[in-house]
Amino acid sequence: MLIELAHFALILAFGMSIAQTIVPMVGAQKGWLGWMRFAEPAAVSQALLVAFSFAVLTWAFIVSDFSVQLVYLNSHTDKPLIYKISGVWGNHEGSLLLWVLILALFGASAAWFGEGLPNTLRARVLAVQGSVSVAFFAFILFTSNPFIRLENAPLNGTDLNPLLQDPGLAFHPPFLYLGYVGLSMTFSFAVAALIEGRVDAAWARWVRPWTLAAWMFLTVGIALGSWWAYYELGWGGFWFWDPVENASFMPWLIAAALLHSAIVVEKRETLKSWTILLAILAFGFSLLGTFIVRSGVLTSVHAFANDPERGVYILAILGIFLGGSLVLFALRADKMQAKGVFGAVSRESALLLNNILLAVSCFVVFVGTIWPLIAELVLGRTLSVGPPFFDAAFTPFMIALGLILPLGSILAWKRGVLGRAKVPLGVLAFFALACAGLAFAIQTGRSSLGPLGLALGIWIVGGALVDLALRTGRGSGVDRLGRLTRLPRADWGKMTAHTGLGITFIGVAGILAWQIEDIRVAQLDTPYEVGRYTFTLTDVQQLRGPNYVTTMADIAVQRGNGTPYTLNPENRFYPVANMPTTEAAIKNGFLQDVYVVIGEPQANGGYTVRVYIKPLANWIWGGSILMALGGLLSLTDRRLRVAAGASRPQSNAVPAE
């Protein structure tokens, strides 16, 4: 009965979203205050209804209700509880229900926290958000219903994909969806602004928190996915330029550009049209990512579904919202006239260059991702675009971005001069180059990638610290320290995020340039050396887990005369899913990881063992955490939570007759 109620609640939410789309939009056009205010209860009701549906589906997974087809196909009684819960979104239908839940929650949040918005803008934003909900409710109800019953309930399920039975991937999709769907709010603000024909500093102040929240969630989601791939898949990589990886990376890049361009609109009331376009494209790339993940047009180990029919629905949603908003943008962009002017050397110019680099790098990723599909459709050829293309085409733009980041942060608005930061930046540049020279002198027989990445990362981190120090003004050290503690949280958030980016740059360069790899057949109790470490395969056991059997190795590791320790890599086999997985054993360290994978037994009695020494691996995810933390710090700044300084215009609305 609960399942049927949950399905009915989803239908009611669909109807509520239709009303939320039409009534407030008509009210804003006519100036009817009552109709405009209908948007808030409609958004909240929609969120409550979807939350009920999602809670019921989650309960069905927890209690293993195999009369529900989705539970039968993605769960099993022997599965640990955390993976029963994560099984809710470890499939197409359940993940789509999570998508509409987050979409409804963002709409409700706009209703709860949007009191500072003008009535007409608030109504239009919620109406546009409602229209997005309409499309996805129709998609889930007509093509992807998660509440289908089985006529005869089986005794047990077929289990969840073993690769998804991992803590990192249990939380990876929800964070990604919070980012993907969060960008729907920036889209709604952009379309509402185009309808009203008005973009000003107050609009930028309102749209920035939503963009910042979406970018922050995307950062966490991408980092979790990268971390999962690093330790779960057994190949030791952190990024493969897989189409689904790129699907989340493209909106992240555009959201980062939107964050910086919104600052220019807020401070100088320029780049208005560009900012609106970025807000539309950010959500457009989110929809494109949904299409890639669920249509099956591009092959990926991460894909949720391989159904071209569903892909057509998503493509239609993408065409309607992206195409429609771009047409509206073309018709109304002339209303977004810029007011501020600025010189070539100014913060505006630096932020504009930042935007260009991020947008072009996103375009490079887009072309590399979609080119195999274009080649097959147009040329009739099967092509593969892999890491060599992306590394060569994408890296130069990131290097340029890293170089200008500290310079742009310290420049003044309108007309800037570098004089006041010449000394600290000069010292920083000398220190970064000296560290690069030292690293190049120490390494032997390797490329310059590591030293250059180290220098660039130090330049970015040091630049963030110099920028923060310059904001304290002049005076004694005690006075400046006091001013430092009183700086707005947004300044601290900016410094933390930029520091995180620099640390990630160092980590990526280190692991790519200085990694050591060794693959061999290891014999029991026969030590061998890799780098400065000695490895000994001491034992191999057959064990049983909750819902798998495993071959677990004991490998003793010792560095020089240090204390030895044991790593336990595994090969697991899940009988219900009839699928093997590789579980790497990793000794995490601040400066490097020791990474071991056990392979298949060999005819001579040994086992294939892969060993990696991965310098600075954890700096990649540590930097990502700092970037997300910087976004959170900025989000707690009151100036971003309240449209301070933006007076709410008097409403000309009249009650509907």
Side-chain angles (χ1 to χ4, degrees):
M1 183 64 182
L2 272 177
I3 296 297
E4 285 70 31
L5 285 175
H7 188 196
F8 183 62
L10 207 58
I11 296 172
L12 287 180
F14 179 35
M16 189 62 69
S17 67
I18 295 173
Q20 182 183 330
T21 302
I22 298 173
V23 175
M25 190 67 76
V26 173
Q29 186 67 29
K30 297 291 188 179
W32 297 342
L33 185 59
W35 285 43
M36 285 188 275
R37 288 182 174 172
F38 173 80
E40 290 90 47
V44 173
S45 300
Q46 184 190 141
L48 292 174
L49 288 167
V50 182
F52 172 74
S53 294
F54 189 83
V56 169
L57 184 63
T58 303
W59 179 250
F61 270 84
I62 291 174
V63 300
S64 298
D65 183 358
F66 297 122
S67 69
V68 180
Q69 179 177 282
L70 195 67
V71 181
Y72 164 70
L73 293 175
N74 296 278
S75 192
H76 191 273
T77 52
D78 292 337
K79 237 179 18 173
L81 178 61
I82 183 175
Y83 303 132
K84 287 184 178 180
I85 296 174
S86 63
V88 177
W89 54 80
N91 56 82
H92 168 70
E93 292 83 0
S95 64
L96 196 58
L97 183 60
L98 177 63
W99 176 288
V100 297
L101 171 64
I102 296 173
L103 189 64
L105 288 175
F106 269 104
S109 298
W112 289 326
F113 304 114
E115 294 181 356
L117 292 168
N119 288 321
T120 55
L121 180 61
R122 187 182 184 188
R124 285 176 172 133
V125 166
L126 289 173
V128 176
Q129 189 73 5
S131 69
V132 178
S133 295
V134 169
F136 279 94
F137 277 125
F139 182 34
I140 191 172
L141 287 170
F142 299 139
T143 73
S144 311
N145 183 5
F147 298 110
I148 296 175
R149 289 276 197 181
L150 294 174
E151 185 175 350
N152 297 308
L155 295 177
N156 219 326
T158 59
D159 209 358
L160 178 68
N161 185 335
L163 288 176
L164 305 182
Q165 296 184 39
D166 178 85
L169 213 64
F171 299 103
H172 163 66
F175 276 102
L176 271 188
Y177 289 175
L178 284 166
Y180 278 150
V181 181
L183 291 173
S184 67
M185 286 304 307
T186 67
F187 173 82
S188 297
F189 269 93
V191 173
L194 287 172
I195 294 173
E196 292 209 345
R198 176 188 173 194
V199 173
D200 54 16
W203 178 88
R205 181 70 59 82
W206 285 315
V207 82
R208 275 181 64 197
W210 301 105
T211 309
L212 189 57
W215 177 86
M216 179 184 69
F217 287 128
L218 270 178
T219 302
V220 174
I222 292 171
L224 282 173
S226 173
W227 179 54
W228 167 81
Y230 173 70
Y231 70 81
E232 175 65 23
L233 297 183
W235 58 287
F238 64 93
W239 195 260
F240 193 65
W241 295 107
D242 179 272
V244 175
E245 292 176 333
N246 297 344
S248 60
F249 193 41
M250 288 185 286
W252 186 89
L253 291 168
I254 295 296
L258 175 58
L259 273 176
H260 292 85
S261 65
I263 295 173
V264 180
V265 176
E266 180 186 342
K267 300 294 184 182
R268 299 286 300 144
E269 293 215 21
T270 190
L271 300 185
K272 293 181 179 180
S273 296
W274 173 248
T275 304
I276 289 287
L277 181 61
L278 286 177
I280 293 171
L281 291 178
F283 185 55
F285 276 111
S286 293
L287 293 177
L288 177 65
T290 305
F291 173 70
I292 290 173
V293 172
R294 300 172 191 276
S295 64
V297 297
L298 293 173
T299 303
S300 169
V301 298
H302 303 81
F304 267 120
N306 188 12
D307 188 343
E309 182 179 352
R310 288 170 174 169
V312 170
Y313 280 91
I314 302 172
L315 198 60
I317 294 173
L318 175 63
I320 291 170
F321 284 98
L322 185 59
S325 58
L326 289 177
V327 169
L328 183 61
F329 175 78
L331 294 174
R332 306 282 286 179
D334 60 330
K335 303 287 185 181
M336 314 300 165
Q337 296 181 356
K339 295 181 180 180
V341 294
F342 52 89
V345 180
S346 62
R347 186 172 298 186
E348 293 96 325
S349 295
L351 290 172
L352 179 59
L353 183 56
N354 160 292
N355 269 223
I356 292 172
L357 291 170
L358 286 169
V360 173
S361 62
C362 178
F363 180 72
V364 168
V365 177
F366 171 73
V367 170
T369 303
I370 211 73
W371 184 249
L373 178 60
I374 296 175
E376 186 174 354
L377 291 176
V378 178
L379 305 177
R381 298 173 57 189
T382 302
L383 297 177
S384 176
V385 179
F389 165 79
F390 289 105
D391 292 342
F394 180 80
T395 303
F397 296 107
M398 289 297 100
I399 292 174
L401 180 67
L403 289 174
I404 70 164
L405 204 58
L407 296 173
S409 297
I410 65 168
L411 287 173
W413 294 103
K414 195 173 182 178
R415 291 182 182 86
V417 292
L418 291 173
R420 72 187 187 112
K422 185 185 300 181
V423 173
L425 285 182
V427 172
L428 174 61
F430 177 79
F431 178 70
L433 292 175
C435 290
L438 178 62
F440 188 78
I442 293 174
Q443 71 176 20
T444 56
R446 294 181 180 272
S447 71
S448 58
L449 173 63
L452 289 178
L454 177 64
L456 185 61
I458 292 173
W459 170 252
I460 296 173
V461 173
L465 297 175
V466 168
D467 175 43
L468 196 69
L470 290 174
R471 292 179 182 275
T472 62
R474 298 180 179 179
S476 66
V478 175
D479 291 339
R480 297 186 69 180
L481 184 61
R483 287 193 289 270
L484 187 67
T485 60
R486 294 191 296 271
L487 285 176
R489 290 182 186 175
D491 290 343
W492 283 99
K494 172 186 170 185
M495 183 276 295
T496 305
H498 287 184
T499 298
L501 179 64
I503 290 174
T504 299
F505 273 34
I506 294 173
V508 170
I511 198 173
L512 293 179
W514 298 321
Q515 173 180 281
I516 299 174
E517 179 180 356
D518 179 89
I519 303 176
R520 68 175 68 200
V521 176
Q523 301 293 335
L524 285 172
D525 300 320
T526 303
Y528 61 94
E529 293 185 356
V530 179
R532 299 180 180 180
Y533 293 86
T534 300
F535 295 84
T536 307
L537 177 62
T538 60
D539 192 18
V540 179
Q541 306 175 65
Q542 304 293 324
L543 302 172
R544 180 171 292 276
N547 59 334
Y548 61 85
V549 292
T550 180
T551 301
M552 179 185 292
D554 294 342
I555 298 180
V557 185
Q558 185 174 17
R559 179 174 179 175
N561 296 320
T563 303
Y565 54 88
T566 300
L567 294 177
N568 300 111
E570 299 180 56
N571 275 334
R572 293 179 179 176
F573 180 75
Y574 291 78
V576 176
N578 193 29
M579 183 175 177
T581 65
T582 300
E583 304 292 325
I586 307 172
K587 174 66 173 178
N588 297 111
F590 180 71
L591 294 179
Q592 64 183 12
D593 282 0
V594 178
Y595 187 109
V596 181
V597 178
I598 185 73
E600 297 297 324
Q602 302 300 306
N604 60 1
Y607 284 81
T608 303
V609 176
R610 282 183 291 157
V611 172
Y612 302 94
I613 310 299
K614 294 183 170 292
L616 306 177
N618 289 300
W619 290 42
I620 298 172
W621 301 290
S624 300
I625 292 171
L626 283 176
M627 282 191 278
L629 180 60
L632 182 60
L633 282 173
S634 297
L635 200 60
T636 60
D637 192 317
R638 186 178 181 276
R639 297 176 303 168
L640 290 184
R641 290 184 287 110
V642 180
S647 59
R648 181 171 177 172
Q650 295 295 320
S651 173
N652 295 321
V654 297
E657 295 180 0

